[in-house]
Amino acid sequence: MTTFRTIDDLEPERRLLVRIDVNAAVEDGVVQDDRRFARHAETIRELLADDHAITLLAHQGRPGRETFVSLEAHADLLADHLDRPVAFVADTDGDEALEAIDTLEPGDVLLLENVRMCDDELPEEAPDVKAETDLVQTLAPAFDAYVGDAYSASHRSHASIVGFPRVMDAYAGRVMEQEYTAITAVREREFDGPVTMILGGTKAEDTIPILECLDDTVDRFCLGGVVGELFLRADGHDVGYDVADTSLFDHQWDAYQADVTRILEADRDRLSLPTDLAYEADGGERAETALEGVSKERPFLDVGSETARRFAEFASDSAAVFVKGGLGVFEDERFADGTVAVLTTIADANCFSVVGGGDTARAIELYDLDEAEFSQVSIAGGAYVRALTGDPLVGVEALEREQ
Ligand SMILES: Nc1ncnc2c1ncn2[C@@H]1O[C@H](COP(=O)(O)OP(=O)(O)O)[C@@H](O)[C@H]1O
Ligand SMILES: O=C(OP(=O)(O)O)[C@H](O)COP(=O)(O)O
């Protein structure tokens, strides 16, 4: 199905420039989430088995934000995952970087500094423009080939994503290949049987476009989380408390009320809304209520057990299930029941399954579910949503053109 070359097509012992995405939550300089490291380590291990000399290019955060930090600690974390040294140089395309690249032997791994610290990387421009930047023109001649593995950044028209493939022999890494293949299958509906999508979480801006564009692809949408509450409100129920004054609900209700109402009216038969919800009782324990008992005066933090059972049933009867957004605040064990019930059912069922969205995929790790039981656990957030909604991914297109 893919139209790009993959690392299977590489000759051994090449000098490779490999773009990975280990962008993560960082607190006090410490990386909080190593899932992307684990995934890219698989690609790098395969490349090492073929004796390539590997230079890695990656970003962290955005200029001006607290998470915009050096990649020095990322090199150590990657080394832990690879169980071998990863050299680091605090430079991207200057003399220090070029010297470090020059001395690499087959089997060596080097990580360059946060590529967003180089001015050429960020402004979103056409691939041809990015290919002309000093960053690309300086680094490209030092390598035999480019490997694009940063699927989760492939919606960004940045130099390291779209510039290098313009001027180099380019290949897709394993992460790129697997994510692309699984998510394309969603859009092309390659399934024999009902397709269910479980949508939750907090971001209506992600969810509404999915509901609007997957018309022929999905037979049933099960809605939970804050997104489910927006639909319940549109259906006349008294829900929508802003958790800890975050404006999480009111703000989105103002912005999406018209869309939610229109989608509900047009597509009610395909939408399954919660019929019960869970909340924190006075003693701190989990309690549940049917819709008749809901009130805006309290936050609802999970779908109720009747809803979870119904959603799980839809999932187990499906040929394919896609998940985006948790059904409740699953980080708190008391309110993880809905999310975990559905994920466990999918893991046990014999269906094609994709779990996407940065936060949602964490639930699999938090509750010790076996990642291997899912067809794909995506490490992409924005790119996953864009691919689902049919938006082209410039980083994928850049690799395809090189065919
Ligand atoms: N009813 C709810 N109230 C507040 N937060 C919720 C609720 N249901 C789910 N969430 C939160 O939604 C988050 C995941 O949603 P979101 O960030 O939209 O998805 P993703 O990052 O996976 O794309 C979780 O961290 C969870 O705590
Ligand atoms: O983490 C990323 O995006 P995501 O949080 O939408 O998955 C990518 O590394 C892209 O980062 P950016 O949104 O700062 O361009």
Side-chain angles (χ1 to χ4, degrees):
M1 179 171 57
T2 53
T3 54
F4 39 59
R5 286 177 296 184
T6 72
I7 57 175
D8 294 324
D9 302 311
L10 276 167
E11 296 291 324
E13 290 191 48
R14 303 281 89 187
R15 302 184 72 74
L16 300 180
L17 179 64
V18 183
R19 177 52 157 111
I20 57 174
D21 183 8
V22 285
N23 185 34
V26 172
E27 274 173 35
D28 300 327
V30 180
V31 173
Q32 301 293 309
D33 178 0
D34 69 348
R35 276 173 306 130
R36 286 178 172 171
F37 292 75
R39 253 349 137 69
H40 287 295
E42 290 173 28
T43 301
I44 298 165
R45 258 194 297 274
E46 274 199 57
L47 293 172
L48 288 170
D50 280 338
D51 287 328
H52 299 295
I54 298 169
T55 300
L56 302 168
L57 204 50
H59 75 275
Q60 171 61 55
R62 298 178 187 176
R65 297 209 182 159
E66 265 178 40
T67 54
F68 184 59
V69 296
S70 165
L71 294 185
E72 191 168 4
H74 294 58
D76 294 339
L77 193 48
L78 205 48
D80 290 346
H81 280 277
L82 287 169
D83 210 14
R84 65 194 297 155
V86 173
F88 171 75
V89 60
D91 183 20
T92 314
D93 59 342
D95 290 345
E96 215 187 323
L98 291 172
E99 272 163 37
I101 293 164
D102 198 41
T103 57
L104 289 179
E105 300 284 341
D108 286 346
V109 185
L110 166 71
L111 175 63
L112 299 179
E113 184 54 288
N114 186 344
V115 68
R116 291 187 176 177
M117 291 183 179
C118 173
D119 290 344
D120 288 339
E121 170 69 357
L122 273 181
E124 294 227 36
E125 293 165 313
D128 284 342
V129 177
K130 287 305 191 191
E132 291 300 317
T133 57
D134 287 345
L135 171 67
V136 172
Q137 292 294 324
T138 307
L139 283 185
F143 299 98
D144 298 317
Y146 168 89
V147 175
D149 210 27
Y151 180 84
S152 47
S154 64
H155 51 312
R156 306 292 186 212
S157 196
H158 295 160
S160 65
I161 303 288
V162 299
F164 289 106
R166 273 327 247 175
V167 296
M168 293 172 71
D169 227 6
Y171 300 80
R174 281 291 178 251
V175 173
M176 175 69 75
E177 188 187 351
Q178 288 166 1
E179 296 265 13
Y180 174 84
T181 306
I183 295 168
T184 305
V186 178
R187 282 207 60 78
E188 298 188 352
R189 198 185 164 125
E190 297 167 340
F191 314 106
D192 192 12
V195 176
T196 297
M197 182 143 199
I198 315 280
L199 287 175
T202 56
K203 299 177 202 147
E205 80 264 23
D206 281 356
T207 315
I208 301 293
I210 294 177
L211 281 161
E212 302 223 72
C213 85
L214 287 184
D215 291 5
D216 305 325
T217 314
V218 173
D219 300 297
R220 175 150 311 271
F221 289 100
C222 297
L223 304 177
V226 172
V227 170
E229 287 185 52
L230 289 169
F231 278 82
L232 286 176
R233 167 79 75 89
D235 205 23
H237 299 285
D238 188 28
V239 289
Y241 175 94
D242 266 328
V243 181
D245 296 327
T246 53
S247 247
L248 198 62
F249 190 94
D250 288 341
H251 177 77
Q252 303 205 67
W253 177 249
D254 289 344
Y256 294 104
Q257 175 180 1
D259 295 313
V260 168
T261 306
R262 177 174 40 76
I263 293 169
L264 186 64
E265 278 168 10
D267 238 353
R268 184 178 285 274
D269 290 350
R270 277 197 310 150
L271 302 179
S272 285
L273 307 188
T275 47
D276 55 353
L277 293 168
Y279 60 95
E280 182 177 5
D282 293 343
E285 74 278 16
R286 175 187 171 108
E288 297 192 359
T289 173
L291 280 185
E292 294 73 48
V294 298
S295 146
K296 264 210 303 295
E297 302 308 311
R298 67 162 87 244
F300 292 100
L301 300 171
D302 193 10
V303 297
S305 36
E306 163 58 25
T307 304
R309 192 194 52 72
R310 201 159 38 89
F311 286 3
E313 221 168 85
F314 282 128
S316 66
D317 287 345
S318 297
V321 185
F322 312 112
V323 182
K324 163 79 175 76
L327 294 177
V329 183
F330 57 77
E331 295 87 346
D332 182 331
E333 227 171 301
R334 294 168 302 170
F335 302 108
D337 292 8
T339 307
V340 172
V342 166
L343 288 175
T344 307
T345 303
I346 298 169
D348 292 344
N350 192 19
C351 63
F352 180 85
S353 56
V354 184
V355 178
D359 289 321
T360 319
R362 261 192 74 215
I364 289 177
E365 196 175 297
L366 277 175
Y367 294 96
D368 286 332
L369 298 170
D370 183 358
E371 222 179 281
E373 298 290 342
F374 300 87
S375 311
Q376 177 73 3
V377 177
S378 178
I379 51 172
Y384 175 66
V385 171
R386 281 172 202 233
L388 281 182
T389 54
D391 276 358
L393 295 173
V394 284
V396 173
E397 286 182 339
L399 297 175
E400 286 175 340
R401 238 193 305 267
E402 292 304 301
Q403 177 82 343

